[in-house]
Amino acid sequence: MTHIDPEALVASLRRMQKAAPATGIVHHLERIVQVVDRIFGYSGAGLMFADPDRTLRYLFATDEAGRSLEHAQATVQAGPCVAAYTTDGAVTTYDVRKDDRWPDLAPLLHPDVRAVAGVPVRLGGEPVGTLNVYQDTTHDWEESDTEALHAYAHVIEQVIAAAVEAEEKSQLADQLQYALDYRVVIERAIGYLMGKHDLTASQAFTGLRKQARDSRRRVADLAAELLGEQGRGDPDHAI
């Protein structure tokens, strides 16, 4: 089993259960995902949500490798996380790059993505997304791994349910849709930086995140500004 810090897990669960939805549900979900890998000792984590057409889309990831996993599955609509959503149960793979269930994924994945596990996130008893983790080596997942992930996903479900109680469901949907849409803006900004500065996708995304952190801004807002300056022909802006 992957090492889990029990004290960190308990503290994190209590903190998230008590957090007020007033901080913003999308921002709060992102914070939840950002600590999953640290608590469980995984290489990275991510969160996917279904749009109104029940198509699973990338929402958050802790790093570039995790982003490639989420983006690849959203692109081909197949993979362990998509399967966790459609079957409403935990799905794991010892090595996703060699798993013949999803042959189209491997060419789209970062080299560090190997073992993957996904569990559903539910609202009203129905799956609305998935919590996903990956390891940069092959890994035999145990029942205790998926049980811990189910427990963490349940906290996410409680946060979403609390947000639904605190505000109209349509407003919550608008917030999630806003976050999903801004992923497109981030992808476009990464592509622009790759072309302008001859960077890899990983280098462009890392640079974008660093500048956002340094300026205490959201990556999505910085990406939108960058694309706006691109449209105005600003030759001096660089990441």
Side-chain angles (χ1 to χ4, degrees), residues 163-197:
V164 171
E165 292 179 3
E167 59 184 296
E168 291 296 326
K169 189 173 182 179
S170 60
Q171 292 177 314
L172 173 62
D174 287 344
Q175 288 190 45
L176 290 173
Q177 188 64 47
Y178 176 83
L180 290 169
D181 291 343
Y182 257 82
R183 297 303 149 184
V184 176
V185 175
I186 293 173
E187 296 294 334
R188 288 179 55 203
I190 288 171
Y192 168 67
L193 291 172
M194 289 172 63
K196 182 175 181 180
H197 300 293

Side-chain angles (χ1 to χ4, degrees), residues 105-136:
L105 279 185
L108 303 177
L109 295 175
H110 189 284
D112 287 345
V113 177
R114 300 299 296 272
V116 178
V119 297
V121 174
R122 305 182 182 97
L123 182 61
E126 296 293 328
V128 295
T130 57
L131 172 65
N132 322 299
V133 296
Y134 80 89
Q135 294 278 46
D136 57 11

Side-chain angles (χ1 to χ4, degrees), residues 4-85:
I4 296 174
D5 182 338
E7 293 184 1
L9 175 58
V10 171
S12 178
L13 294 178
R14 287 176 177 171
R15 184 168 56 251
M16 288 184 295
Q17 285 173 319
K18 293 179 180 179
T23 60
I25 181 62
V26 172
H27 174 68
H28 194 48
L29 289 175
E30 188 166 17
R31 289 178 55 204
I32 291 174
V33 173
Q34 287 171 345
V35 298
V36 173
D37 50 347
R38 176 175 58 82
I39 290 175
F40 291 94
Y42 300 129
S43 299
L47 188 64
M48 301 183 77
F49 263 81
D51 64 17
D53 295 327
R54 298 183 64 81
T55 299
L56 210 58
R57 295 176 61 186
Y58 156 67
L59 192 62
F60 303 122
T62 55
D63 56 15
E64 170 60 22
R67 191 181 71 88
S68 79
L69 173 63
E70 310 297 273
H71 189 262
Q73 293 182 101
T75 298
V76 303
Q77 282 300 301
C81 310
V82 175
Y85 171 70

Side-chain angles (χ1 to χ4, degrees), residues 93-104:
T93 175
Y94 174 79
D95 187 351
V96 69
R97 305 182 70 84
K98 297 181 179 179
D99 198 317
D100 58 13
R101 288 176 292 179
W102 310 292
D104 295 332

Side-chain angles (χ1 to χ4, degrees), residues 200-228:
T200 65
S202 178
Q203 290 170 333
F205 183 63
T206 298
L208 196 63
R209 283 184 59 185
K210 182 179 185 304
Q211 183 162 330
R213 287 175 178 173
D214 290 346
S215 59
R216 297 185 178 181
R217 302 169 63 193
R218 296 190 308 172
V219 174
D221 292 338
L222 182 60
E225 179 182 304
L226 177 66
L227 292 174

